[in-house]
Amino acid sequence: MSTQMESNVEPGLYPWLRADYIQLVDQLSAGKLHHATLLHGVAGLGKRQLIKRFAQRVTCSQPVANKACGQCKSCLLFQAGSHPDHYFIAPLNDKKQISIDQIRYATSKVNETGLISTVRVISIEQLDLLTESAANALLKALEEPPQGVYFLLASAQLNHVPATIASRCYKLNIKTPNPQRLAAWLTKKTNVAVTPQQLFSFENSPLRNLTAIEEGTYQQIAQVEHCYIELITSLAQRSNQPDVIALATRDLVNQLEIAQDSFGGVEVIRLLQLINQRLIKENVAQGEPSVKPDTLLKLSAGLVTLKEMINKTPSINPLLQLQQLIVELSLK
Ligand SMILES: [Zn+2]
């Protein structure tokens, strides 16, 4: 990508979104923009920002190269958040769902003529939170798309988006930035020294890592990781000191109880999975691994089962289950 092209892109757009933004504008300029685009990728990439910037470019009446002009009537209304031809749908604050009423309102309105633009845009974020009836209503609209209407959809959990909907969209995978570059970006933004290794606990997600720095969550993770490694080491040497395992388990559970307040129950298990994944990777890279790989692999399998269990039965206590898992592993 040329420097000149970069400078033509929305200056406020997150740098890792620029190539995707340009790709969409190119499709639009060539008259090849799919009537439904589905952006997917981990949470905290800024998919909403990308959707809003691109929706403004789509509705702008005098675009300048890649950018919306920022001055036409359409742009002014868009920037004020009151563009009559742009419908932005997200889960309502008090509910964790997108309702059929929200979908019906937008899809019936866009059947009328554009109020000030020739095109209309329906944006939906967290597409995985559609109720079943909302999904059916959206599917109907996607099957018979009204002329001049573009759907810009986003989800951090593509596997929870109904396949019937996903298959009717152009899917654009928003990738996480290169860890080195992301670490540099975060350090510049926060004045806090960040290493590429730290980013992994939040799946290399830029905005979730940014929040973690601002809320001091990295220290908590470091504590959890320290206890986790102690536990794995004690599991590997179990024949010598059985009490050590119990002690290490208690320390880990104590740290996880603290982390739970920041992360939530399922998330602490996911955090352990990520730490475990990284340890496996580092172990593979080492000639003489410091931790027995089979312990890590057994824990890895146990954590997957545990997470599935919590997803099925949210009322169970993740930390009690984790203790159970460790006891089973230490007896084997
Ligand atoms: Zn404009």
Side-chain angles (χ1 to χ4, degrees):
M1 187 191 310
S2 73
T3 326
Q4 200 187 353
M5 212 170 167
E6 286 256 8
S7 65
N8 262 339
V9 183
E10 294 280 329
L13 197 65
Y14 294 125
W16 57 88
L17 296 177
R18 285 178 190 160
D20 294 315
Y21 175 86
I22 289 174
Q23 188 194 332
L24 290 172
V25 173
D26 284 348
Q27 289 177 1
L28 178 71
S29 308
K32 285 179 181 166
L33 181 64
H34 197 282
H35 71 271
T37 300
L38 171 52
L39 312 179
H40 64 96
V42 300
L45 279 165
K47 293 188 280 298
R48 183 191 304 162
Q49 189 200 52
L50 180 57
I51 281 186
K52 288 200 169 172
R53 294 300 171 92
F54 183 59
Q56 183 176 349
R57 173 63 179 74
V58 170
T59 50
C60 172
S61 59
Q62 298 153 4
V64 184
N66 288 317
K67 291 185 280 188
C69 74
Q71 285 158 8
C72 70
K73 190 178 171 194
S74 178
C75 278
L76 294 178
L77 284 166
F78 203 99
Q79 284 155 10
S82 52
H83 197 296
D85 298 320
H86 179 233
Y87 299 87
F88 184 74
I89 301 173
L92 296 174
N93 281 341
D94 52 336
K95 301 185 182 102
K96 291 200 163 144
Q97 285 182 327
I98 295 172
S99 71
I100 185 169
D101 290 342
Q102 288 175 278
I103 300 293
R104 269 203 191 131
Y105 176 78
T107 51
S108 66
K109 280 284 181 187
V110 290
N111 277 317
E112 299 164 10
T113 321
L115 292 168
I116 69 157
S117 298
T118 50
V119 292
R120 282 142 290 152
V121 178
I122 296 179
S123 306
I124 307 177
E125 66 171 19
Q126 291 186 271
L127 194 65
D128 41 282
L129 294 181
L130 292 168
T131 63
E132 201 182 325
S133 53
N136 287 334
L138 178 63
L139 185 60
K140 223 174 134 200
L142 291 177
E143 281 170 343
E144 296 159 21
Q147 195 69 35
V149 173
Y150 292 109
F151 290 86
L152 301 179
L153 314 169
S155 172
Q157 301 197 72
L158 186 60
N159 55 341
H160 290 181
V161 173
T164 45
I165 289 180
S167 67
R168 282 178 174 76
C169 301
Y170 166 69
K171 289 187 275 300
L172 180 57
N173 183 9
I174 312 292
K175 297 192 179 71
T176 52
N178 162 295
Q180 257 85 17
R181 258 187 250 159
L182 178 56
W185 183 81
L186 288 165
T187 300
K188 195 174 164 202
K189 207 165 171 65
T190 59
N191 273 328
V192 174
V194 182
T195 65
Q197 285 74 23
Q198 284 173 305
L199 306 174
F200 194 71
S201 308
F202 294 97
E203 300 173 295
N204 290 328
S205 158
L207 304 182
R208 284 171 61 210
N209 273 292
L210 183 61
T211 308
I213 295 168
E214 286 166 354
E215 293 178 355
T217 321
Y218 278 158
Q219 279 117 326
Q220 279 179 15
I221 294 175
Q223 295 286 357
V224 168
E225 188 167 327
H226 173 76
C227 293
Y228 191 67
I229 291 173
E230 290 285 305
L231 173 68
I232 291 168
T233 315
S234 68
L235 277 172
Q237 305 163 342
R238 63 180 177 272
S239 54
N240 304 334
Q241 299 159 300
D243 286 357
V244 177
I245 298 174
L247 211 67
T249 307
R250 207 187 61 196
D251 285 349
L252 176 66
V253 169
N254 283 347
Q255 282 304 329
L256 287 173
E257 268 171 2
I258 299 168
Q260 245 182 351
D261 293 336
S262 314
F263 290 84
V266 191
E267 287 302 305
V268 293
I269 301 301
R270 205 158 72 126
L271 175 64
L272 289 184
Q273 280 185 308
L274 287 169
I275 293 173
N276 203 61
Q277 268 175 33
R278 211 185 75 209
L279 292 174
I280 289 174
K281 252 193 213 165
E282 285 173 2
N283 242 3
V284 170
Q286 279 174 12
E288 277 186 45
S290 49
V291 183
K292 272 191 189 168
D294 65 325
T295 311
L296 290 171
L297 291 174
K298 275 180 196 159
L299 268 164
S300 180
L303 289 170
V304 170
T305 315
L306 179 53
K307 202 165 147 239
E308 278 167 9
M309 216 155 91
I310 299 166
N311 280 336
K312 263 189 216 146
T313 322
S315 57
I316 62 170
N317 182 332
L319 296 187
L320 273 181
Q321 298 297 329
L322 178 68
Q323 280 169 288
Q324 182 76 32
L325 169 68
I326 295 165
V327 169
E328 281 167 22
L329 276 176
S330 64
L331 294 177
K332 271 179 198 163

